[in-house]
Amino acid sequence: MNNIAVIGSGTMGNGIAHVFAQHGYNVSLIDISEDSLKKALATIDKNLARQVEKGAISAEIKQKAIANISTSTSIKDGIANADLIVEAATESIDLKLKIFKEMDEAAKSTAILSTNTSSISITKIASVTKRPEKVIGMHFMNPVPVMKLIEVIRGYSTSNETTESIMALSKKLEKIPVEANDYPGFVANRILMPMINEAIYSLYEGVAGVSEIDTVMKLGMAHPMGPLQLADFIGLDVCLSILRVLHDGFGNPKYAPCPLLINMVQAGHKGVKSGSGFYQYKAGSKELAVAERFSK
Ligand code: CAA
């Protein structure tokens, strides 16, 4: 497996392209927007430069990685030679089903079709293709070049052969793959999102403030980020949509999203990407200021 196509050049897509290219694979990075592709290449360059500065990789590996990436605005052309396609488009079921139909028609018959979805059913996605045994979830974590985990999700019809080849490939990327079955939220988000939701409920009910809640979890549980900062980092709209998948999928009220989260998303406060969530973000700064609404 040498030729990899990545569909979607946003935060996850460019991170996935970065990791494959760094490990010597030919990467075709695909997006409908030429502008997004340019931004993605600039981000990959910046993140590789950071790894060179830290001594994690050599300048030569960086150069080779950049040379390994080509871009395309057409799915059909961009995936024609791919042995594996990783779809990392926006988290919308309708969009993913449309892309998978197109991928199935244009990809080589031997190609594996994977998705980086954080919560949409792999079985459902596979059902619109003629090769459900070759459809699998490859759930990378953000930031992709740093986080070691790949959650490998088997749909109902995913074959052992497909699973084994994705587990082996993940190890070649120096990641740790973990196999999971296809139920709402898989493992990562079934556990992470209720924790984030509970942190938001704690704020909503006045148990403690934003920095107090995050400090308890950072210092008390050794989490690198508190759950409210992590929610901002993931995107509050993404957290809400995953909670809705859990709520609908299990029909259990324990997954009901906190009304404060719903309001914040409706008001456009989506976290880092919108400049404001539980914290306020200045472009290019790592400094955190509790958003005005939550300040004492
Ligand atoms: N590319 C390459 N390297 C990067 C990078 C990137 N995009 N971002 C950070 N790094 C490197 C830095 O160079 C640094 O390297 P060294 O340790 O060698 O010095 C290291 O990562 C730590 O970075 P920083 O010093 O800049 O910042 P930090 O110490 O605050 O760590 C963090 C940042 C890694 C993001 C850390 O805060 C963290 O682990 N946060 C939690 C992340 C998390 O939980 N991710 C999962 C989210 S859930 C998800 O993705 C899935 C989903 O479905 C919702």
Side-chain angles (χ1 to χ4, degrees):
M1 229 188 258
N2 287 320
N3 298 325
I4 313 295
V6 179
I7 300 181
S9 67
T11 310
M12 297 306 287
N14 76 56
I16 295 166
H18 168 147
V19 168
F20 275 108
Q22 182 193 325
H23 288 85
Y25 293 88
N26 298 321
V27 178
S28 163
L29 181 60
I30 303 158
D31 201 292
I32 42 170
S33 149
E34 195 79 63
D35 195 42
S36 302
L37 286 169
K38 269 195 206 134
K39 281 190 192 140
L41 291 180
T43 303
I44 294 171
D45 194 282
K46 190 183 81 194
N47 286 332
L48 285 165
R50 178 178 3 200
Q51 288 170 286
V52 174
E53 261 166 50
K54 301 260 174 179
I57 59 168
S58 66
E60 195 195 343
I61 299 255
K62 171 179 183 276
Q63 237 176 2
K64 280 192 183 156
I66 298 286
N68 284 342
I69 304 176
S70 60
T71 59
S72 172
T73 50
S74 149
I75 291 186
K76 192 164 178 274
D77 299 342
I79 70 171
N81 288 323
D83 304 308
L84 165 70
I85 303 155
V86 187
E87 172 276 318
T90 308
E91 195 71 351
S92 142
I93 176 105
D94 293 341
L95 179 66
K96 289 197 192 285
L97 296 183
K98 182 172 164 279
I99 291 176
F100 267 78
K101 266 191 204 156
E102 203 175 334
M103 273 158 70
D104 191 33
E105 277 159 25
K108 293 194 291 197
S109 61
T110 50
I112 293 179
L113 314 183
S114 77
T115 171
N116 178 56
T117 182
S118 46
S119 61
I120 294 171
S121 161
I122 308 302
T123 307
K124 170 101 183 150
I125 290 174
S127 73
V128 300
T129 73
K130 295 193 184 73
R131 58 179 105 187
E133 73 289 351
K134 287 192 161 59
V135 176
I136 193 160
M138 276 186 97
H139 185 204
F140 291 81
M141 302 291 133
N142 186 21
V144 181
V146 181
M147 304 299 281
K148 283 284 174 202
L149 179 72
I150 302 180
E151 201 179 16
V152 175
I153 305 115
R154 298 183 67 130
Y156 189 82
S157 308
T158 309
S159 67
N160 288 340
E161 199 189 343
T162 299
T163 309
E164 280 156 21
S165 91
I166 293 301
M167 294 291 284
L169 175 73
S170 302
K171 288 178 195 157
K172 289 195 183 143
L173 300 175
E174 295 179 272
K175 301 286 188 197
I176 314 275
V178 171
E179 206 180 308
N181 289 317
D182 184 25
Y183 291 99
F186 320 133
V187 174
N189 282 316
R190 181 171 182 164
I191 296 171
L192 176 63
M193 288 303 155
M195 182 189 75
I196 286 177
N197 201 32
E198 206 55 38
I200 304 172
Y201 264 114
S202 303
L203 177 70
Y204 175 67
E205 291 171 3
V207 179
V210 171
S211 32
E212 288 76 9
I213 291 168
D214 276 356
T215 302
V216 166
M217 298 306 285
K218 271 198 293 189
L219 301 187
M221 322 302 160
H223 289 190
M225 286 177 169
L228 299 174
Q229 187 191 354
L230 183 56
D232 275 0
F233 175 69
I234 292 168
L236 300 190
D237 52 339
V238 175
C239 293
L240 178 58
S241 95
I242 298 173
L243 279 162
R244 291 207 195 281
V245 167
L246 292 171
H247 195 209
D248 293 347
F250 292 115
N252 186 331
K254 78 176 177 177
Y255 298 109
C258 178
L260 174 59
L261 174 64
I262 297 172
N263 268 356
M264 289 177 75
V265 173
Q266 272 168 354
H269 293 260
K270 296 181 186 169
V272 176
K273 65 177 136 187
S274 72
S276 160
F278 297 104
Y279 296 89
Q280 255 143 12
Y281 302 88
K282 277 192 228 126
S285 163
K286 280 177 81 178
E287 223 166 280
L288 288 178
V290 172
E292 206 157 312
R293 192 175 186 293
F294 302 112
S295 306
K296 288 207 180 90

